[in-house]
Amino acid sequence: LIMFLDYIGVQFALAIYRQQNTSNIEKMRSQPEIRARYQLDCEQYKTLKASSDGNNQDHLLMLYTEIKLLGWVLGKTEQTVIRNVNT
């Protein structure tokens, strides 16, 4: 019974996710937009990492993941992305 309820919950969540995502389709970003987002995320990451607040690890991880993905889209190597984030 519990597994069935979990299955129903997952199916309900997937249905909501699909409904929201099909109504909010965006166009692809241009190369300058991706570059600007990459630079903005790098600055946000540096600022957040420099702050003394200790409970921002989840936000840092999310930003780092997005930075790595955008860097990959821009054709940057992993070493370049790490260097951009840490300097």
Side-chain angles (χ1 to χ4, degrees):
L1 180 64
I2 292 173
M3 289 176 59
F4 177 73
L5 292 176
D6 287 343
Y7 176 77
I8 297 298
V10 168
Q11 294 304 315
F12 181 70
L14 284 173
I16 291 173
Y17 175 78
R18 286 186 190 118
Q19 180 184 11
Q20 289 176 348
N21 284 338
T22 56
S23 63
N24 192 16
I25 297 175
E26 296 181 15
K27 64 181 178 93
M28 284 183 54
R29 291 181 180 173
S30 67
Q31 201 73 354
E33 289 174 320
I34 293 171
R35 188 173 295 109
R37 180 66 188 196
Y38 174 81
Q39 292 170 346
L40 179 66
D41 282 351
C42 284
E43 291 304 316
Q44 283 181 335
Y45 184 87
K46 291 173 192 175
T47 304
L48 193 60
K49 191 166 184 171
S51 72
S52 61
D53 190 15
N55 58 359
N56 55 12
Q57 291 292 60
D58 291 340
H59 194 86
L60 278 172
L61 181 61
M62 181 190 68
L63 275 174
Y64 186 74
T65 304
E66 185 172 358
I67 291 168
K68 284 192 70 161
L69 177 66
L70 292 172
W72 175 76
V73 170
L74 292 170
K76 296 182 181 290
T77 64
E78 187 172 356
Q79 292 82 11
T80 305
V81 171
I82 293 170
R83 191 172 30 250
N84 289 344
V85 167
N86 291 325
T87 57

